[in-house]
Amino acid sequence: MIVMQNSFKVVTICLTLALLSFLFAVPRPAWPADYITGSGCSISNVGYLSALAEEFERRTGTRVFVRGGGSVVGIQDLKSGNVDFAASCRGRIAGDPRGLQFIQVAWDALVFIVYPTNPVSDISLDAVRSVYLGRITDWRELGGRGGPIKLFLSRPRKGLSGVETSIRKLVLNGKRISSPNARLVPSSGIVEQLVERTPDGFAATGFTSARKRKVKILKVNGVYPTIKTIVDGTYGLRRPLFLLVPPQPKPEVMKFVSFALSEDGQRFISSLGVVSFLDLQ
């Protein structure tokens, strides 16, 4: 009799738990059947990636959800399986996860930006070098109105951002940035937004996104960055833009990458004002 009563209690408890689970279950998000996700380089996201994703969806019906956050964030997201692909404005460096494929899809250039009303319009590469090494700290030394240079730098908590990697390679000849005035922020997107509202601000970012911001892009050694000067090398700070995929990417991801590399995709990227492979031919 005791055994039967205990069995009845167990069954009752199980049924009650099942009913509660059914009543209070949290519904899963209603994702579309065909979609892929990406994150990473803010410069790429603002400059071409979001528009390319929309064009790919228009042509194929496959939705592509993308966000910025910085190259390091994209690499970490891809490593963790949180996204299907990533965007980066730097190539592979020591410490990056093994197996990730870096596929170049366009070109960018390192540019230097200031607040729109800043009187400085031209800067020498030597002066840029001195700013990042802490030798120049006042705008007067650059021909400005005077006052401390508020230097913004994209530097995530882990790893090297694409912009900092480019500064070291293209400006500092491998040296580390050592300015005591540098304010570190997580991504180039935030850097650009800070310069938009800081009269004494100065920063490096990518041509691909800077031209869409309310900032002044400086000439370097008398040369203004344009598609023409980047392509012909007159503006000498060109650098690649990549899409990153895991060792075994989804078929939809490879279709998206293939579209980016196709003649139609490159023509579309070029139409956005980004330096494509077609522009270099």
Side-chain angles (χ1 to χ4, degrees):
M1 187 67 165
I2 294 175
V3 174
M4 291 181 64
Q5 288 177 344
N6 288 341
S7 298
F8 179 76
K9 289 180 179 179
V10 171
V11 171
T12 302
I13 291 171
C14 290
L15 289 173
T16 302
L17 290 174
L19 180 61
L20 289 172
S21 297
F22 175 78
L23 291 175
F24 295 101
V26 177
R28 298 182 65 183
W31 292 105
D34 294 323
Y35 74 96
I36 53 177
T37 58
S39 68
C41 174
S42 301
I43 291 166
S44 296
N45 195 43
V46 171
Y48 82 92
L49 189 56
S50 292
L52 187 70
E54 292 177 3
E55 180 67 9
F56 181 73
E57 179 184 345
R58 187 185 71 80
R59 293 179 179 229
T60 67
T62 299
R63 300 194 68 182
V64 185
F65 299 90
V66 294
R67 64 180 180 86
S71 298
V72 173
V73 168
I75 291 171
Q76 291 174 345
D77 281 348
L78 191 56
K79 177 185 176 182
S80 303
N82 295 328
V83 295
D84 300 309
F85 69 94
S88 175
C89 59
R90 67 159 173 80
R92 186 189 304 277
I93 62 175
D96 285 342
R98 295 181 179 179
L100 298 186
Q101 302 177 57
F102 284 68
I103 303 169
Q104 186 182 349
V105 296
W107 287 97
D108 184 41
L110 189 69
V111 299
F112 306 100
I113 58 174
V114 298
Y115 193 72
T117 59
N118 191 313
V120 175
S121 296
D122 195 348
I123 190 170
S124 71
L125 198 57
D126 285 340
V128 173
R129 190 174 297 115
S130 293
V131 169
Y132 281 101
L133 293 177
R135 297 168 185 164
I136 292 179
T137 59
D138 193 287
W139 279 110
R140 189 171 287 105
E141 299 175 82
L142 298 176
R145 286 185 288 259
I149 297 171
K150 295 179 181 178
L151 178 62
F152 299 110
L153 177 65
S154 170
R155 181 180 287 173
R157 287 183 298 173
K158 297 180 180 179
L160 273 176
S161 72
V163 167
E164 185 169 0
T165 301
S166 297
I167 293 171
R168 288 190 185 186
K169 179 179 179 181
L170 299 174
V171 179
L172 300 182
N173 301 317
K175 294 181 180 179
R176 294 176 179 271
I177 295 169
S178 55
S179 171
N181 294 336
R183 177 181 170 184
L184 309 181
V185 298
S187 74
S188 293
I190 298 175
V191 164
E192 293 170 351
Q193 292 167 10
L194 286 169
V195 174
E196 282 182 319
R197 58 176 183 262
T198 306
D200 295 325
F202 178 91
T205 187
F207 168 79
T208 300
S209 58
R211 63 203 170 78
K212 293 190 173 185
R213 300 288 192 179
K214 295 178 181 179
V215 297
K216 178 192 284 188
I217 300 176
L218 299 181
K219 296 178 182 178
V220 177
N221 293 338
V223 180
Y224 191 80
T226 64
I227 295 290
K228 182 180 184 301
T229 60
I230 294 170
V231 168
D232 66 20
T234 309
Y235 187 86
L237 301 175
R238 192 168 69 196
R239 66 194 193 131
L241 296 177
F242 298 92
L243 291 179
L244 279 58
V245 300
Q248 296 180 326
K250 291 181 178 179
E252 292 81 3
V253 169
M254 293 314 299
K255 289 178 183 178
F256 179 62
V257 173
S258 295
F259 171 62
L261 294 173
S262 70
E263 186 173 345
D264 280 351
Q266 288 291 302
R267 189 177 295 110
F268 181 79
I269 288 173
S270 182
S271 74
L272 300 171
V274 179
V275 181
S276 72
F277 295 145
L278 295 178
D279 294 313
L280 293 173
Q281 293 178 356

